[in-house]
Amino acid sequence: QVQLVESGGGLVQAGGSLRLSCEASGGTFSHALLGWFRQGPGKEREFVAAIRSSGVNTYYADSVRGRFIISRDNAKNTVYLQMNSLKPEDTAVYCCAAARMDSSGRYVYFKSSYAYWGQGTQVTVSS
């Protein structure tokens, strides 16, 4: 059974940093697209970042580009999200997601491209 477990969320002041981790078990994801999504209070779940299997190609939402960095360690079946210069509007539950295969282009932004999801970790940014 595939499981994705996030960690690293918490409460941080505006301008601070957090590093989220997501470890996958029950399968090998070195060949797959991995991503992060978030859902703020009263909002729809939205794309944050994605990374292709090689780790070379990354994609970001405009709202986080230049502040967040996605990376992966295929040997550990883990994907990371380094979040810097955090803003109150970044407050949300952050979920990692894994596709069944690698992908590119516009497909990386779609929730439907991902087959497996974690439960999420809360990130709260105070002003």
Side-chain angles (χ1 to χ4, degrees):
Q1 183 179 354
V2 174
Q3 278 193 315
L4 302 178
V5 180
E6 303 93 340
S7 60
L11 174 63
V12 63
Q13 287 189 329
S17 298
L18 282 174
R19 189 193 195 206
L20 305 184
S21 300
C22 172
E23 183 174 1
S25 61
T28 301
F29 294 93
S30 59
H31 62 285
L33 175 73
L34 300 175
W36 287 95
F37 288 74
R38 68 185 182 186
Q39 187 166 13
K43 297 181 181 180
E44 296 285 326
R45 183 174 290 184
E46 63 177 3
F47 171 83
V48 175
I51 185 167
R52 294 193 63 185
S53 59
S54 67
V56 173
N57 299 98
T58 57
Y59 306 81
Y60 296 95
D62 289 343
S63 59
V64 307
R65 185 176 291 110
R67 300 188 297 122
F68 290 11
I69 301 171
I70 188 171
S71 60
R72 63 192 292 165
D73 185 335
N74 286 338
K76 295 181 179 179
N77 255 2
T78 300
V79 61
Y80 305 97
L81 187 67
Q82 177 67 43
M83 305 186 296
N84 302 319
S85 302
L86 282 161
K87 304 175 181 180
E89 51 263 45
D90 293 319
T91 294
V93 175
Y94 285 72
C95 296
C96 66
R100 288 194 172 91
M101 62 187 69
D102 204 4
S103 189
S104 63
R106 67 182 189 276
Y107 298 104
V108 309
Y109 302 100
F110 300 156
K111 293 187 289 290
S112 59
S113 298
Y114 300 83
Y116 308 103
W117 293 83
Q119 291 297 310
T121 185
Q122 176 70 45
V123 172
T124 302
V125 184
S126 63
S127 57

